[in-house]
């Protein structure tokens, strides 16, 4: 009978939108995104892509335009003043902080007099990663990826070795192109073994190019050996062919073939003592949309109709062995995963509040029109008559306009200023409600006058919800960025880059800066008092100043500079002054006790002036 279903999933918070659940099976409206009805698209990705499109419309002030496609004609006059974008940008600024720094534990002890080799190696790796981040513009790419994660709930990084530049390249992808192959019984937090990056390329009639589908696949699988063909006219599946009747051979130099198990083992630079039988394969191909049928899915496209792309060195990208044992992709989730692989947008909990805010802004705009140009009714006036039609001309009210009214005539003005004031108060009420539910206090949005804050302690208490929000979002990202930095190390080792020795490397992590403003003067005063009173050490005081935002790069170097300046300011005493005075004899001590002054000196005389 086509009865509607009550659907609960990761994007059910958008079910109230007509464009999200317009059909009985819960599929979104076709006008939301026509391309999501493509036959190659997995069924479980339809609602996710529709949610991405809807969230992008809110971010670009096009939610009203999108609603018109679902049949809401009044939505074309909807007022949207950028509140969703402001919420996203504010959350992004607090999550990533004012600065981002790569830290390798143990690197701070590399300059100690008795530094261990591990500390020196950690400092070297830390400097290498920081140089790579500066060359690859990591903060800029983080801004692009993290904004997608905050707005859409997900972000994707792709890493690739560039032999020309001699370093790892970092690229961000829209999460709408990310299609992981998740197993049914696998933990959603586990790393998938196969990931597709797929998107449609529109047709170009001028150049005679038809619409195409491009799919880039990264897949983990056993290392394949190059087997020889059984007959000269039957090509073998391996990348290299041996003589007829030969046994399987390793696919590349350095691999070992085990004839008992029929597997190939490889020793990677980052784990020299542990052979592995897994590697990552890359496939990059294109299909014409007209060649795809309803039975073809993204994970099982016909390879006989594919056009495979080639690498810059001419290698065919068809299950190309990348000689790494991991997928060089990092999926950033905006929220902590709880039974779901994908994250949730920051706007998820306040979407209906944002709709109410936009409707109230629309009503306020209409009320302001009647307040600025009020409706006037005249009684007892004789308007000018159009000589052609014989009808009275409409009256125009302007500065200096004078109307002659008959006896008993009057002029009535429709005053809507009270309604406008109420609507403005309603706007502020809804905005505060949205800020509370999104855990973005008004002080973080910049809508609070600093003079209205009674004290710094009250300000700190008001930022409590924001602190918990930032802590949870950073916790969801901590492991992913540590994994990204580990991949950067291993790709440099696989590319045999200079300065990246083989062997296991210490773990690195990305540290975000403070997300709230800091009273630097108060921190400085606290640090000075604490060090002077001996409550904590000089190193701890300098670390407090460093966390507060003072330009201190290395704590130990700063301590060494302070000690050098203190020694330079201390004058050396003359050797003659350092001689000890002779001890006074007993008679001298007795004279001092009686007179109260040293023996042989006159008692001190005090004048009235003194």
């Amino acid at each position: 009978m086509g009865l509607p279903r009550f659907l609960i999933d990761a994007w059910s918070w958008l079910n109230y939108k007509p464009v999200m659940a317009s059909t009985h099976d819960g599929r979104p409206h076709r006008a939301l995104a026509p391309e999501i009805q493509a036959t190659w698209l997995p069924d479980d990705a339809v609602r996710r892509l529709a949610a991405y499109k809807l969230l992008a419309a809110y971010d670009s002030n096009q939610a009203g335009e999108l609603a018109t496609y679902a049949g809401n004609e009044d939505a074309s006059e909807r007022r949207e003043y950028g509140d969703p974008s402001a919420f996203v940008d504010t959350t992004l600024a607090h999550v990533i902080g004012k600065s981002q720094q790569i830290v390798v534990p143990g690197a701070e002890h590399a300059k100690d007099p008795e530094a261990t080799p591990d500390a020196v190696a950690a400092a070297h790796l830390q400097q290498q990663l920081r140089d790579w981040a500066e060359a690859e513009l990591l903060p800029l790419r983080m801004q692009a990826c993290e904004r997608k994660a905050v707005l859409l709930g997900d972000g994707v990084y792709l890493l690739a070795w560039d032999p020309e530049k001699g370093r790892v390249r970092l690229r961000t992808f829209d999460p709408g192109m990310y299609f992981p192959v998740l197993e049914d019984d696998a933990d959603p937090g586990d790393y998938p073994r196969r990931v597709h990056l797929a998107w449609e390329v529109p047709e170009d009639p001028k150049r005679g190019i038809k619409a195409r589908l491009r799919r880039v696949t990264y897949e983990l699988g056993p290392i394949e050996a190059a087997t020889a063909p059984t007959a000269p006219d039957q090509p073998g599946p391996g990348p290299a062919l041996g003589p007829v009747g030969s046994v399987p051979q390793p696919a590349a130099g350095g691999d070992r073939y085990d004839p008992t198990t029929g597997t190939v083992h490889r020793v990677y630079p980052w784990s020299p003592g542990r052979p592995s039988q897994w590697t990552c394969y890359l496939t990059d191909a294109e299909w014409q949309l007209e060649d795809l049928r309803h039975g073809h899915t993204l994970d099982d496209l016909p390879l006989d109709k594919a056009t495979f792309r080639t690498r810059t060195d001419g290698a065919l990208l068809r299950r190309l062995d990348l000689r790494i044992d991991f997928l060089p992709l990092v999926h950033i989730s905006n929220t902590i995963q709880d039974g779901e692989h994908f994250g949730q947008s920051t706007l998820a909990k306040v979407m209906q509040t944002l709709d109410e805010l936009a409707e109230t802004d629309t009503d306020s705009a209409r009320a302001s029109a009647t307040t600025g140009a009020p409706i006037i009714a005249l009684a007892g006036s004789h308007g000018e008559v159009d000589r052609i039609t014989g009808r009275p001309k409409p009256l125009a009210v302007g500065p200096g306009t004078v109307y002659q009214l008959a006896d008993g005539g009057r002029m009535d003005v429709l005053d809507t200023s009270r309604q406008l004031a109420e609507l403005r108060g309603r706007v502020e009420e809804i905005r505060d409600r949205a800020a509370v539910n999104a855990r973005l206090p008004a002080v973080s949005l910049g809508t609070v006058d600093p003079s209205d804050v009674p004290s710094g302690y009250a300000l700190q208490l008001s930022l409590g919800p924001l602190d918990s929000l930032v802590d949870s979002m950073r916790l969801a990202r901590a492991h992913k960025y540590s994994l990204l930095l580990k991949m950067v190390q291993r790709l440099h080792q696989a590319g045999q880059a200079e300065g990246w020795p083989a062997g296991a490397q210490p773990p690195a992590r990305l540290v975000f800066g403070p997300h709230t403003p800091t009273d630097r003067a108060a921190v400085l005063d606290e640090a000075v008092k604490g060090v002077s009173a001996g409550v904590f050490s000089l190193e701890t005081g300098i670390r407090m100043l460093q966390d507060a935002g003072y330009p201190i790069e290395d704590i130990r170097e700063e301590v060494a500079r302070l000690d050098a300046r203190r020694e330079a300011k201390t004058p050396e005493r003359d050797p003659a002054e350092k001689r000890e005075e002779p001890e006074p004899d007993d008679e001298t001590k007795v004279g001092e006790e009686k007179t109260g002054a040293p023996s042989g000196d006159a008692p001190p005389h005090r004048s009235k002036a003194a």
Side-chain angles (χ1 to χ4, degrees), residues 268-286:
Y268 291 101
W270 45 87
S271 55
R274 188 176 58 182
S276 174
Q277 60 176 351
W278 297 95
T279 187
C280 178
Y281 295 100
L282 169 62
T283 302
D284 190 352
E286 291 184 352

Side-chain angles (χ1 to χ4, degrees), residues 254-518:
D255 299 344
R256 293 185 297 102
Y257 175 73
D258 188 356
T260 58
T261 60
T263 58
V264 179
H265 295 272
R266 178 181 300 164
V267 177
Y268 291 101
W270 45 87
S271 55
R274 188 176 58 182
S276 174
Q277 60 176 351
W278 297 95
T279 187
C280 178
Y281 295 100
L282 169 62
T283 302
D284 190 352
E286 291 184 352
W287 288 263
Q288 293 187 6
L289 292 181
E290 61 183 16
D291 294 337
L292 302 180
R293 298 295 182 263
H294 289 279
H296 297 153
T297 61
L298 180 62
D299 195 44
D300 190 18
L301 295 177
L303 298 180
D304 57 339
K305 297 182 179 181
T307 301
F308 296 94
R309 302 172 71 94
T310 57
R311 205 167 53 180
T312 55
D313 57 355
L316 185 65
L317 298 181
R318 181 174 182 176
R319 287 186 62 83
L320 178 67
D321 189 354
L322 298 181
R323 302 189 64 82
I324 54 177
D325 59 350
F326 56 90
L327 303 184
L329 289 131
V330 178
H331 168 240
I332 300 296
S333 177
N334 186 49
T335 54
I336 297 177
Q337 299 169 348
D338 185 14
E340 294 287 345
H341 178 79
F342 297 96
Q344 193 176 71
S345 170
T346 302
L347 304 179
K349 304 301 183 183
V350 295
M351 185 62 70
Q352 297 189 38
T353 312
L354 295 175
D355 285 338
E356 182 71 17
L357 182 60
E359 295 296 337
T360 307
D361 286 332
T362 303
D363 295 339
S364 178
R366 293 171 179 172
S368 63
T370 58
T371 302
I375 300 175
I376 301 175
L378 294 177
S381 63
H382 300 282
E384 185 178 357
V385 178
D386 192 346
R387 296 180 179 180
I388 299 177
T389 61
R391 298 178 180 178
K393 294 182 178 180
L395 300 178
V397 180
T401 304
V402 178
Y403 293 100
Q404 294 182 358
L405 304 179
D407 295 340
R410 70 181 187 275
M411 181 179 67
D412 297 328
V413 180
L414 180 61
D415 184 11
T416 59
S417 59
R418 295 182 179 179
Q419 291 82 353
L420 180 59
E422 290 293 333
L423 287 172
R424 288 179 176 175
R426 176 64 175 166
V427 168
E428 296 300 327
E429 179 185 356
I430 298 175
R431 184 179 288 112
D432 293 341
R433 182 73 169 272
V436 170
N437 294 341
R439 291 192 288 177
L440 293 175
V443 62
S444 65
L445 295 172
T447 59
V448 174
D449 188 357
S451 60
D452 296 339
V453 180
S455 63
Y457 183 70
L459 176 63
Q460 186 176 2
L461 288 179
S462 65
L463 293 175
L466 178 62
D467 295 339
S468 62
L469 172 66
V470 172
D471 291 342
S472 63
M473 295 179 70
R474 289 185 175 180
L475 179 61
R477 291 160 168 78
H479 171 67
K480 298 300 182 65
Y481 280 106
S482 298
L483 185 63
L484 185 144
L485 295 176
K486 180 186 293 185
M487 291 182 181
V488 171
Q489 303 174 40
R490 294 188 174 184
L491 286 175
H492 278 98
Q493 291 177 334
Q496 299 180 359
E498 184 180 358
W500 299 83
Q505 297 291 330
R509 58 190 177 93
L510 188 66
V511 178
F512 297 99
H515 64 279
T516 55
T518 306

Side-chain angles (χ1 to χ4, degrees), residues 227-251:
T227 56
T230 57
D233 56 347
Q234 182 180 357
L241 301 180
V244 178
S246 63
V247 298
Q249 298 295 328

